[in-house]
Structures are given as structure tokens and as C-alpha cells.
Amino acid sequence: MKNTLQNDLVLRAARGENIERYPVWLMRQAGRILPEYRAVRSSLSGFKELVETPRFAAEVTVQPVDILGVDAAIIFSDILVVPEAMGLEYQMLESKGPWFEKTIKTEEDLKYAEVDFDVEDRLGYVLEAIKLTNQELNGRVPLIGFAGAPWTIFCYMIEGHGSKTFSESRKMLYTNPVLAHNLMDRITKVTIKYLQAQIKAGAHMVQVFDSWAGILGTEQYATFSMPYLKQIADAIQEVPLTIFSKGAMSSLEDIANLDCNTIGLDWNMDIPEFRKVIGDKRTIQGNLDPCALYSTHDEVKKLTNKLLDSFTSKRHIVNLGHGVYPDVDPEKVKTFIQTVKDYAIKY
Ligand code: CP3
């Protein structure tokens, strides 16, 4: 059963309803920047134990609500739990990032890209963490669920680790488009089931991260990412959906035409320009440069107010243009959040 929410600003902003002030939260707020997170994390064997133990995942999910005062919680997990559930186990290497032992290179490897399994069983730990988090939040703020977009998950399943260019993944789009579409289709099916399971467990809103959207050309994005994002957008109807396609400059208008509520913008994108293009039909999320939080408190305030002054609509959820960097001073984050909360909305 869902709690009645005391603060549902994020949900109202997503639906284009009336709001008293702009809501604010930060991508990657759960973790890294908070000493309280690092304390929990260092008491465990590593990142995966934290992700896979619901009571710890719930604890670090609630921390930014208590400490930073954000208007939404985002469940502490990772986009990589999906490829793992499909058959590719990952490790999170200290200061190196994700690493998969096996990757997908041929049709034969599709045995590591299973579709017909019980998502509620294999990813039950995330669903349990969602339930526990809602108990602990007790309706204070909404809880955001998430998944990676099929293209971004595809990149990790092909490459097996991070990359600046993901050229192995892009290579497959040219050399074996049939295999690429087959894999994308499988990821999409699992992602839809997974997001629906998160909603059933209590996620009040969901976000799809297409972190590597920006490395595809417009045409390839239209061929290899958009159809799958569309399937997800069409399937998710119960709660507001946010699509964050980082760097997808020339595809933004098409993304805004999908059946979603909110479009996430990174800091390279111009909010007033994009507003002119889409009008008031979607909510915009973003987009302060994460590096702006390295400036002085006064500057953070000024830059945040400048961002807010550029809005010409109430349809905004304030956020950074990408995840908060680990070495940012939490006090600067608080200044950012307080500035948004103090801002008198003009619309
Ligand atoms: O937003 C939140 O606070 C919720 C938690 C969250 C994490 N990862 C925890 C995490 C979310 C939403 C993600 C999403 C994610 N994971 C994305 C999409 C968003 C983006 O940043 O573009 C991607 C591409 C990943 C994959 C991933 N996970 C990488 C490349 C890395 C290593 C580099 C890094 O960012 O640290 C991770 C590890 C990871 N995921 C950490 C956290 C808190 C750091 C692990 C640690 O505690 O040491």
C-alpha cells in the first residue's frame, strides 16, 4: 500500500500541475558525497553488498532526504543490476568502476542475455529495498525508481566496462545490426518488467538513464535507441516517467514526443531554447553544471538563481545536468537546494 505523501511537489511538477515552488533533487545524491554514506559503505565488503542488502540500501537512500533536504529520494541501486539479472555478472572495482567477466559478441553469447525469468525473484532485493525505504520515509517525499536505457545497458553488455567511445558497441551497429536489435529487444523487455515491478513495490516515479546517448549520431539514435525508449514510455503509465538522454541534443524533440512526463537535460543544453521547441507539454529536469558546485557559496547561489530566472514555465524539476561528483562539498549542495527552495516562482 502506498503512503499518502506529505511532499508531492516532484510528482505534481512532473504532471504539469500547480506547484508552490520548484522541487529539487540530485542525480547520484544517494552515496559518495556524504560521509554518512561512506561510513555505511566501509562497514561492508563493497558496493555490491550495499546494493544487495535491502536494509542498507534503504538507509543510504534516506540519507540525502534527512541530511540535504531534497524533495525526492532515489532508490540506491545501479543500472547494472539488469544485465546481471540477465546473465552477465558484474563487479564494481575500487576506483575503476564496473567490470563484466563475460560480454556479448556473437549470437551464441545471447545465452547470457536471458529474458524469460522472474524479475521479482532475481531483482527482489531492489524491490525489498523500495518497500523498506517507503516505510522509513513514511510519506515524507516520493521515491524514484530507475533503470538504464536499453542503449546504455547494451554498451556495458558489449564492452564489459566503461569506455570513452564505446566503439565496440557502435561497431556492432554496423557489423551485426540484427544481433544488436535482438539484444536491445531483450534488454527492453526485461527493463519494462523491472520498472513495473519497482512501481508495484512502491516507486512513485521512474527515470530512465540513457547516459551514453551522446555518442550516437542522430540517425543511429533514431534506429537503435528511440524505438526501445518508445516501448518503455508506452508501457509505463501508472506513474510519471522521466527520460534523461545525456548528450542527445539533436534527438530531444523526438524524445519529447514520446509518452513521458519529464525530459532530463544535461548542462550543455539550453533550457529556454528547448522550452521554445516543446512548449509546455513536458516538464524539464535539470540542468546546473555539476562543476558549478565547486564554486563559492555565493557563486552557487547566483548560478542557481540565474538558472531559475531562465524558466518561463512552472513545468520544472531542478537538478544538476548529470550526477553530483563525489568530491563536492555537501554544504555547497545544501546551498543549491536552499536557493531553489527560497525562490519565488513566477508562473
Ligand atoms: O542516483 C542515486 O543516488 C542512486 C544510485 C545510483 C548509482 N548509480 C549508485 C552508484 C544511480 C541512479 C546510478 C546510475 C548509473 N550507474 C548510471 C546512470 C547515471 C549516470 O551517471 O550516467 C551509470 C552509467 C551507472 C554505471 C556505474 N555505476 C558506473 C560507471 C560506476 C563507476 C563510476 C562511478 O560513478 O562511481 C558505478 C558505481 C556507482 N553507482 C557508485 C554509486 C554510488 C559508486 C560506487 C561506490 O560507492 O564506490
Side-chain angles (χ1 to χ4, degrees):
M1 206 188 72
K2 282 184 189 172
N3 301 314
T4 329
L5 291 167
Q6 289 141 41
N7 172 353
D8 64 349
L9 274 173
V10 156
L11 304 180
R12 279 188 276 139
R15 297 194 191 103
E17 295 168 9
N18 198 38
I19 46 169
E20 310 78 70
R21 63 167 175 83
Y22 293 118
V24 55
W25 68 281
L26 285 82
M27 290 186 278
R28 313 296 287 269
Q29 68 188 15
R32 306 192 296 180
I33 56 161
L34 295 176
E36 292 82 354
Y37 164 82
R38 290 196 290 269
V40 176
R41 166 92 158 70
S42 64
S43 72
L44 304 171
S45 63
F47 176 75
K48 283 191 83 173
E49 189 183 353
L50 182 47
V51 165
E52 289 164 10
T53 315
R55 69 193 158 95
F56 293 127
E59 183 180 348
V60 299
T61 300
V62 177
Q63 282 175 349
V65 178
D66 290 337
I67 301 163
L68 303 172
V70 283
D71 291 310
I74 179 162
I75 190 66
F76 186 83
S77 186
D78 201 274
I79 62 170
L80 303 177
V81 300
V82 166
E84 179 163 81
M86 293 173 76
L88 292 177
E89 207 183 310
Y90 75 93
Q91 291 175 51
M92 194 59 77
L93 303 178
E94 222 45 66
S95 66
K96 275 201 169 151
W99 193 79
F100 291 80
E101 170 104 41
K102 293 183 295 231
T103 56
I104 310 287
K105 291 284 181 292
T106 64
E107 271 79 6
E108 168 79 358
D109 296 329
L110 287 175
K111 60 178 182 281
Y112 308 124
E114 291 174 57
V115 186
D116 295 319
F117 60 88
D118 184 356
V119 166
E120 303 206 7
D121 174 43
R122 285 198 200 166
L123 292 167
Y125 58 89
V126 182
L127 308 177
E128 190 53 36
I130 288 175
K131 289 176 195 158
L132 280 179
T133 302
N134 271 333
Q135 277 172 27
E136 281 177 38
L137 285 173
N138 197 24
R140 274 182 290 162
V141 291
L143 176 59
I144 303 170
F146 70 89
W151 161 246
T152 291
I153 297 300
F154 176 91
C155 285
Y156 287 101
M157 293 181 87
I158 302 297
E159 221 92 12
H161 46 74
S163 160
K164 282 204 174 77
T165 57
F166 283 98
S167 50
E168 285 293 314
S169 316
R170 289 189 292 122
K171 178 174 151 190
M172 190 184 285
L173 307 185
Y174 293 96
T175 58
N176 198 345
V178 173
L179 175 58
H181 278 298
N182 187 337
L183 180 54
M184 225 75 86
D185 192 59
R186 287 165 184 248
I187 299 167
T188 305
K189 287 197 168 84
V190 175
T191 301
I192 289 171
K193 281 195 282 181
Y194 178 48
L195 287 172
Q196 285 170 338
Q198 291 185 54
I199 294 164
K200 192 173 140 209
H204 301 96
M205 180 160 117
V206 291
Q207 174 158 331
V208 172
F209 288 88
D210 210 353
S211 304
W212 302 115
I215 62 171
L216 287 185
T218 314
E219 221 172 279
Q220 279 194 320
Y221 199 72
T223 308
F224 292 100
S225 192
M226 287 302 294
Y228 303 102
L229 289 176
K230 182 174 185 327
Q231 286 182 41
I232 294 172
D234 288 343
I236 302 301
Q237 295 294 328
E238 301 83 356
V239 301
L241 168 69
T242 303
I243 299 180
F244 174 58
S245 290
K246 190 176 176 297
M249 289 279 196
S250 52
S251 308
L252 280 179
E253 205 179 332
D254 291 343
I255 297 169
N257 283 327
L258 296 177
D259 188 9
C260 63
N261 300 77
T262 305
I263 309 292
L265 294 189
D266 68 49
W267 69 96
N268 287 316
M269 296 163 181
D270 189 72
I271 288 188
E273 280 300 311
F274 187 53
R275 181 60 79 193
K276 269 188 237 154
V277 175
I278 63 158
D280 232 11
K281 80 173 175 200
R282 298 285 179 255
T283 300
I284 295 175
Q285 177 171 279
N287 73 344
L288 189 76
D289 180 353
C291 282
L293 299 180
Y294 291 118
S295 53
T296 63
H297 285 280
D298 271 357
E299 264 308 297
V300 170
K301 232 174 156 172
K302 246 188 244 166
L303 292 164
T304 306
N305 278 317
K306 194 173 160 212
L307 172 72
L308 296 162
D309 280 337
S310 77
F311 297 173
T312 54
S313 161
K314 65 176 184 298
R315 291 204 73 165
H316 285 273
I317 296 170
V318 182
N319 206 308
L320 302 179
H322 198 196
V324 61
Y325 297 132
D327 61 344
V328 158
D329 177 359
E331 293 305 316
K332 300 281 172 63
V333 175
K334 286 186 195 168
T335 298
F336 168 60
I337 290 166
Q338 198 54 49
T339 308
V340 179
K341 288 184 171 178
D342 290 342
Y343 188 84
I345 196 165
K346 299 188 183 86
Y347 300 92

